Amino acid sequence: PATSLRALGVDVSAEDVFAALSDAWAECFGIWNSGRGFGEIRRLWLERAAGLGEQVSVQSGAYTVVGTFDGLDESGCMAIVTSSGARETIAAGDVYFGTAGSTGSR
């Protein structure tokens, strides 16, 4: 859900937030280097990723994959280890942490 930074005790102006986002984007764009820096972007993303090692459900089309969030593969797809031990990669879908969305799993 949306919230107010001020309600969380963070007193920052919209200009300061935009400047921080702009600086971060510029740094990541430089690392990206037309895709040649994907490995570094992936590493940085994984350092900050929420839910690694936790239960996750991904709904994609008519099916749902349920398992443990195992990170991103080398092409940027989400990796999930299912209860059978299979490692599946998913390029797109609706992601739910915990048990939400776990009906109709494969």
Side-chain angles (χ1 to χ4, degrees), residues 9-90:
V10 178
D11 188 21
V12 63
S13 70
E15 292 81 11
D16 289 342
V17 170
F18 179 76
L21 289 173
S22 176
D23 290 348
W25 180 90
E27 179 181 354
C28 287
F29 184 71
I31 295 169
W32 175 250
N33 191 18
S34 299
R36 290 182 290 275
F38 175 74
E40 179 66 5
I41 294 289
R42 178 180 171 269
R43 185 188 69 74
L44 292 169
W45 188 90
L46 287 170
E47 285 179 1
R48 296 162 177 83
L52 278 173
E54 296 179 13
Q55 183 174 2
V56 65
S57 303
V58 180
Q59 293 179 338
S60 182
Y63 65 89
T64 302
V65 178
V66 179
T68 303
F69 178 25
D70 196 42
L72 299 179
D73 73 2
E74 292 73 28
S75 66
C77 291
M78 183 177 200
I80 297 175
V81 176
T82 66
S83 61
S84 69
R87 188 169 194 257
E88 296 200 32
T89 56
I90 301 167

